[in-house]
Amino acid sequence: MRKSIITATTAGLALALAACSGQASDSATPKAGAGESAPPAAKTLEGVTIEVAAKWTGPEQTNFQEVLKAFEAKTGAKVTYASTGEDTGAYLGPRIQGKNPPDIAILPQPGLVKQYADQKALKPLTPEVLKQIDDNYTPYWKELGSADGQAYGVLVKAAHKSLIWYRDKAFQDAGAQQPATWDDLVKTAQTIADSGTPAFSLCGASGWTLTDLFENVYLSSAGPENYTKLSKHEIPWTDPSVTTALEKIAQLVGKKEFLLGGSAGALQTDFPTCVTQVYGQDKSAMVIEADFVGTTAEESGAKLGEEAKYFPFPKAGGTEPVVLGGDIAVALKDSKGAMALLEFLASKEGGEVWAKLPGYLSPNRNVSPDNYPSELTKKLAQTIISAGDAVRYDMSDLAPSAFGGTDGKGEWKLLQDFVRDPSKIKDIQNKLEDEAKKAWK
């Protein structure tokens, strides 16, 4: 496991950390006399302990703790880590109610920011943290970490969801090329199917993968502004823009020869089984999902960049889609070091510490792709930067969980019903709108 600890500091952030700790900059950094070299900046948080809670375990936890070590070396603080497990709300709820929350929690969904803000459980970001966000993020990311106009959170880690992975040998055997547009993708799928290999292993049993597919097509065909409106239910699911997106998706899921096992097989295949069907079992050619497919592909014996390759999600309209998932850091205590750590995580420096470790993508636009350890992550990071203000967050994670995040209900179930019978677009739209009205009332 590659480890990287950066202890170098800039004067500006050192002064800001001093302000967060309540110490004046003069006392934190003694002035040098004439002809003397300035001494190293004092560690402004000596004796301060900060608890951070997040869902990460295994390599993700190990890498995040390297980032925390860099902060400790910079400030003198001691940071402890607690794993929330997959259900962050179940972990944080009792601690918030017991008035013993961690200093910082890292939330897997923006909806939790509003939920905890409504409970008065979050602390507004200080001007120093806000400056880092304004300097390093687009306004859209700042809005995602806000509730009722007040900023509470810093998006610290991203998952790139606008990818289609493919098995190189299947493409070579069929004489297929990487598609650039949606029409090209449909033609490529037909070419592969004609060669005798199902084009897609669709992870239909995991409803969230179908929301990811819809979001990419919708962002590309309807544009970023409509995407934002639909994510807030400011336009109905019966809108013509939704019809267009579903019609395009039907071009893929409506052809049984495109799907491994047909629609019935697709709806019985979960994630990550859909990945192992492409890599390892060699049963189909492509899988539509995020950058984390690469981990399962490698576990299945495929080498990234050779047998396991990807292409950007093809344009289905006027926008090249870049949909991200991600984790948002918030402060639950007015502790001495909480805002200092949030400031570090929001900074270019903090992002670069993390970027040098495996399995990480930064939403920070000033973290250069050159920091990443692999060509895969360098390219993905560059697409995030290049997309600029058109990048959007996973729509289903922005919705109330009853609509966008519950197995067997809401959007998950209805998109599964759509895969089962793609001819009933209007019926599915009406049902989506009915469910959305219940969730947003």
Side-chain angles (χ1 to χ4, degrees), residues 239-284:
D239 191 81
S241 62
V242 178
T243 309
T244 298
L246 291 176
E247 287 173 345
K248 289 182 178 295
I249 295 171
Q251 292 177 299
L252 296 186
V253 302
K255 289 203 168 186
K256 293 190 188 305
E257 69 268 26
F258 284 7
L259 306 180
L260 179 61
S263 57
L267 291 170
Q268 293 171 13
T269 304
D270 66 2
F271 186 94
T273 303
C274 54
V275 182
T276 59
Q277 288 178 339
V278 174
Y279 303 109
Q281 297 178 16
D282 297 351
K283 290 182 176 179
S284 60

Side-chain angles (χ1 to χ4, degrees), residues 109-111 113-114 138-147 152-155 231 324 328 391-394 398:
Q109 294 177 327
V113 176
K114 178 163 176 48
T138 66
Y140 178 73
W141 299 126
K142 183 177 181 180
E143 182 184 345
L144 274 184
S146 301
Y152 295 101
V154 177
L155 191 73
S231 73
L324 300 183
I328 298 176
V391 177
R392 288 296 181 268
Y393 196 90
D394 184 308
L398 296 173

Side-chain angles (χ1 to χ4, degrees), residues 44-377:
T44 58
L45 296 175
E46 290 278 11
V48 173
T49 298
I50 306 164
E51 184 187 13
V52 180
K55 69 176 183 179
W56 302 315
T57 58
E60 281 188 299
Q61 176 182 334
T62 300
N63 291 340
F64 180 53
Q65 286 178 312
E66 289 301 312
V67 180
L68 298 179
K69 285 180 183 178
F71 174 77
E72 289 177 325
K74 179 186 182 71
T75 64
K78 176 177 175 56
V79 185
T80 62
Y81 178 85
S83 177
T84 66
E86 284 302 314
D87 195 337
T88 302
Y91 176 89
L92 291 177
R95 293 198 59 179
I96 291 171
Q97 291 169 11
K99 302 190 183 303
N100 182 36
D103 296 271
I104 287 176
I106 298 180
L107 308 177
Q109 294 177 327
L112 291 174
V113 176
K114 178 163 176 48
Q115 177 182 322
Y116 293 132
D118 288 345
Q119 295 175 15
K120 309 297 183 186
L122 303 184
K123 307 305 176 185
L125 299 180
T126 61
E128 292 82 5
V129 183
L130 289 172
K131 184 180 187 308
Q132 291 295 335
I133 293 175
D134 290 338
D135 288 349
N136 298 316
Y137 295 81
T138 66
Y140 178 73
W141 299 126
K142 183 177 181 180
E143 182 184 345
L144 274 184
S146 301
D148 299 322
Q150 176 66 60
Y152 295 101
V154 177
L155 191 73
V156 294
K157 191 173 190 287
H160 197 305
K161 295 197 166 190
S162 297
L163 303 175
I164 297 181
W165 291 79
Y166 68 97
R167 183 163 51 87
D168 188 58
K169 189 173 187 305
F171 267 53
Q172 289 187 20
D173 290 347
Q177 303 295 320
Q178 290 188 12
T181 67
W182 184 261
D183 288 343
D184 291 342
L185 178 63
V186 176
K187 291 175 184 175
T188 296
Q190 189 66 63
T191 298
I192 292 169
D194 290 345
S195 76
T197 298
F200 296 98
S201 179
L202 196 67
C203 330
S206 300
W208 57 269
T209 66
L210 300 180
T211 69
D212 289 348
L213 171 59
F214 172 80
E215 288 154 10
N216 277 286
V217 175
Y218 189 80
L219 175 57
S220 186
S221 61
E225 290 186 9
N226 278 332
Y227 185 101
T228 297
K229 289 177 182 177
L230 186 62
S231 73
K232 297 177 179 179
H233 199 219
E234 292 175 355
I235 57 177
W237 282 82
T238 51
D239 191 81
S241 62
V242 178
T243 309
T244 298
L246 291 176
E247 287 173 345
K248 289 182 178 295
I249 295 171
Q251 292 177 299
L252 296 186
V253 302
K255 289 203 168 186
K256 293 190 188 305
E257 69 268 26
F258 284 7
L259 306 180
L260 179 61
S263 57
L267 291 170
Q268 293 171 13
T269 304
D270 66 2
F271 186 94
T273 303
C274 54
V275 182
T276 59
Q277 288 178 339
V278 174
Y279 303 109
Q281 297 178 16
D282 297 351
K283 290 182 176 179
S284 60
M286 291 180 277
V287 60
I288 304 170
E289 249 316 316
D291 57 282
F292 44 73
V293 164
T295 301
T296 305
E298 285 187 305
E299 290 171 351
S300 300
K303 189 168 183 180
L304 294 184
E306 295 183 10
E307 185 65 347
K309 295 183 178 180
Y310 73 89
F311 50 86
F313 197 98
K315 287 178 66 175
T319 301
E320 291 189 11
V322 178
V323 176
L324 300 183
D327 302 283
I328 298 176
V330 295
L332 290 88
K333 280 185 180 178
D334 281 321
S335 61
K336 196 172 184 180
M339 288 297 164
L341 179 53
L342 287 183
E343 183 180 356
F344 180 75
L345 293 175
S347 71
K348 178 176 180 287
E349 179 187 3
E352 288 179 346
V353 176
W354 212 338
K356 290 178 170 64
L357 302 168
Y360 174 76
L361 279 173
S362 176
N364 185 322
R365 63 187 171 192
N366 290 321
V367 173
S368 169
D370 293 338
N371 288 282
Y372 293 94
S374 73
E375 286 303 312
L376 170 65
T377 47

